[in-house]
Amino acid sequence: MDFLTAKETEQQYLMQTYGRFQTLLTEGKGAKAVDCDGKEYIDFTSGIGVNALGYCNDHWLDAVTAQAGKLQHTSNLYYSEPMIRLAEKLCTLTGMDKVFFGNSGAEANECAIKLARKYGSDTYGEKHTEIVTLKNSFHGRTITTLSATGQAVFHQHFQPFTEGFAYGEANDLDSVVSAVTDNTCAVMVEFVQGEGGVCPLEKAFVKKLYDFCKDRDILLIADEIQTGIGRTGTLFAYEQFGVQPDIVTSAKGLGGGLPIGACLCVEKLGKVLGPGLHGTTFGGNPVVCAGALAVLEQVAEPSFLQAVAEKGAYLREKLQKMDGVESVRGLGMMIGVVLKDKQAGAVASACVEKGLLVLTAKTLIRFLPPLTISYEEIDCGLERFAAVLQAE
Ligand SMILES: *Cc1c(COP(=O)(O)O)cnc(C)c1O
């Protein structure tokens, strides 16, 4: 299919919910993608933080194709080895007690919200189900996770939204405390707000928030859908903040390119959701779980995580010195670039022209490169980025 046919046919048959970049990608390997005209791109997006090991990583591909040729789906009516092994691996690596598998980030957060509400009402009475999230957060696109998202723009068009959410300012404990009531069962945060503009929480705030929650038996939910699976230089970002969340949600990078969501919980929550209380047809799919295992086998290695942290530091250092860059923020290979005078959307489109895939987040340029990217590919991508910033 050529680009113009793709564009016209997409317009005719797909709901027009996305503003797409003007390229039809057809294949990729590692941190390089190729479009229908054979043009090559350096990928600083990983499909929005999903392809943790880049395109078509050999080990991941072997795991996925072998499982697809053996047994592609069983439903949750039966035991399935890849799912069980993945759950064991996730719990062993994190010290969490149990996991539930769904198919997306929003679903992982839905599970977290149900789990927190059930724990709250079981333990403290039926009204004890309110959840506080942070302003400028992003938690998903279902009606309930839109409610959880602390941005007014997401609270339009689809009324009535799910009740029971209140919002506090990030890095302002007083503001969070004033959103808490006697019926608050949980506080949910991203340690680095991704869609909100790559804004890391302050360590002191996180520590105070953790102590506050622990005192009152308010559950701390870490939405690690974007920050998890090595993205920030540790398996999960919370490790760098010195706190232990009660619930951790994971998705994006976990599947290495296939859809998965996971909700992990500590021991006291392990039996809150019993038979029949939650489920999803595709959850724990064997092919997806085999791929996720291949991802974890590589990403969880200390030397791999160390390399992510180093590549992230290298990227930030180079960017800080670049003409046209006002400032750089983020953690590991989750990077936000504040531009001096150019518009992020226009810069991102110009990058595609130059053979570089980048993301935006609010008014920033955002980089989420595959964690396996080489220094040579980083340099090549940065050269193309600099050329775009310098163009008239
Ligand atoms: C992407 C994202 C989600 C939603 O994940 P989906 O897979 O798109 O449903 C939720 N929370 C955070 C922090 C995200 O980055």
Side-chain angles (χ1 to χ4, degrees):
M1 192 181 264
D2 63 73
F3 176 69
L4 270 182
T5 309
K7 185 170 167 143
E8 282 169 18
T9 315
E10 192 268 0
Q11 242 160 33
Q12 189 174 350
Y13 292 109
L14 278 126
M15 290 192 197
Q16 296 293 295
T17 59
Y18 301 106
R20 298 180 203 271
F21 290 109
Q22 299 300 296
T23 178
L24 170 61
L25 298 177
T26 51
E27 56 193 282
K29 189 76 191 163
K32 291 198 181 94
V34 178
D35 74 10
C36 58
D37 299 319
K39 179 175 162 186
E40 197 179 273
Y41 300 83
I42 297 288
D43 177 24
F44 277 2
T45 73
S46 314
I48 319 186
V50 166
N51 302 328
L53 304 175
Y55 296 106
C56 304
N57 172 268
D58 290 335
H59 184 51
W60 175 86
L61 185 62
D62 285 349
V64 164
T65 48
Q67 186 58 46
K70 228 165 148 184
L71 192 67
Q72 84 277 31
H73 175 78
T74 61
S75 89
N76 282 298
L77 298 174
Y78 312 100
Y79 293 89
S80 159
E81 187 171 330
M83 169 186 78
I84 295 165
R85 287 209 183 287
L86 180 62
E88 179 186 36
K89 181 106 186 153
L90 275 169
C91 291
T92 309
L93 286 168
T94 57
M96 302 295 277
D97 187 58
K98 286 193 171 49
V99 55
F100 177 89
F101 290 120
N103 313 287
S104 69
E107 276 184 54
N109 283 342
E110 288 270 350
C111 179
I113 291 162
K114 286 172 89 170
L115 182 55
R117 284 181 162 195
K118 175 99 180 358
Y119 174 77
S121 56
D122 283 357
T123 316
Y124 299 106
E126 66 178 32
K127 290 209 171 90
H128 201 88
T129 56
E130 293 173 13
I131 297 176
V132 174
T133 66
L134 297 181
K135 290 179 188 166
N136 198 43
S137 57
F138 181 77
H139 297 297
R141 294 283 194 164
T142 62
I143 295 289
T144 295
T145 54
L146 282 174
S147 272
T149 294
Q151 300 186 51
V153 287
F154 288 101
H155 301 162
Q156 301 174 48
H157 308 300
F158 309 112
Q159 279 90 350
F161 285 95
T162 307
E163 292 172 18
F165 290 91
Y167 315 96
E169 289 287 345
N171 299 319
D172 181 347
L173 188 70
D174 291 341
S175 164
V176 174
V177 169
S178 54
V180 166
T181 74
D182 288 343
N183 290 322
T184 301
C185 66
V187 172
M188 177 159 157
V189 304
E190 298 157 88
F191 287 92
V192 184
Q193 294 185 329
E195 303 304 314
V198 195
C199 309
L201 295 184
E202 289 164 11
K203 276 189 187 153
F205 165 74
V206 172
K207 190 71 181 63
K208 281 187 284 180
L209 177 65
Y210 172 76
D211 290 340
F212 172 79
C213 289
K214 199 155 183 78
D215 262 5
R216 301 181 162 225
D217 195 19
I218 293 171
L219 302 174
L220 181 61
I221 304 174
D223 177 343
E224 294 247 21
I225 288 162
Q226 193 162 148
T227 51
I229 316 301
R231 175 54 57 190
T232 66
T234 45
L235 188 59
F236 287 102
Y238 72 78
E239 298 165 48
Q240 295 177 59
F241 289 80
V243 298
Q244 175 59 59
D246 300 288
I247 299 173
V248 176
T249 56
S250 179
K252 292 196 166 88
L254 178 59
L258 289 175
I260 187 169
C263 176
L264 292 96
C265 69
V266 295
E267 195 175 3
K268 76 172 174 193
L269 303 175
K271 295 201 172 92
V272 169
L273 295 177
L277 288 184
H278 197 42
T280 173
T281 301
F282 286 113
N285 172 275
V287 176
V288 180
C289 288
L293 264 170
V295 169
L296 284 180
E297 272 160 18
Q298 295 176 68
V299 171
E301 279 300 314
S303 59
F304 185 98
L305 292 167
Q306 179 66 29
V308 172
E310 284 166 13
K311 284 185 263 186
Y314 178 82
L315 268 159
R316 284 198 297 278
E317 196 191 311
K318 289 252 165 161
L319 283 163
Q320 245 136 20
K321 292 183 195 145
M322 200 176 274
D323 282 345
V325 171
E326 177 70 38
S327 61
V328 185
R329 60 186 188 232
L331 207 58
M333 275 212 270
M334 180 170 181
I335 294 170
V337 182
V338 181
L339 301 171
K340 267 201 181 115
D341 40 33
K342 287 192 151 71
Q343 297 292 314
V347 166
S349 297
C351 284
V352 173
E353 287 275 313
K354 273 261 184 281
L356 175 68
L357 306 177
V358 301
L359 299 161
T360 59
K362 294 276 165 71
T363 59
L364 282 76
I365 290 290
R366 176 175 39 151
F367 295 162
L368 299 172
L371 306 179
T372 50
I373 193 167
S374 69
Y375 281 94
E376 202 187 331
E377 288 162 335
I378 290 176
D379 285 341
C380 179
L382 285 176
E383 244 168 65
R384 291 175 189 181
F385 187 59
V388 167
L389 292 189
Q390 271 144 42
E392 279 312 302

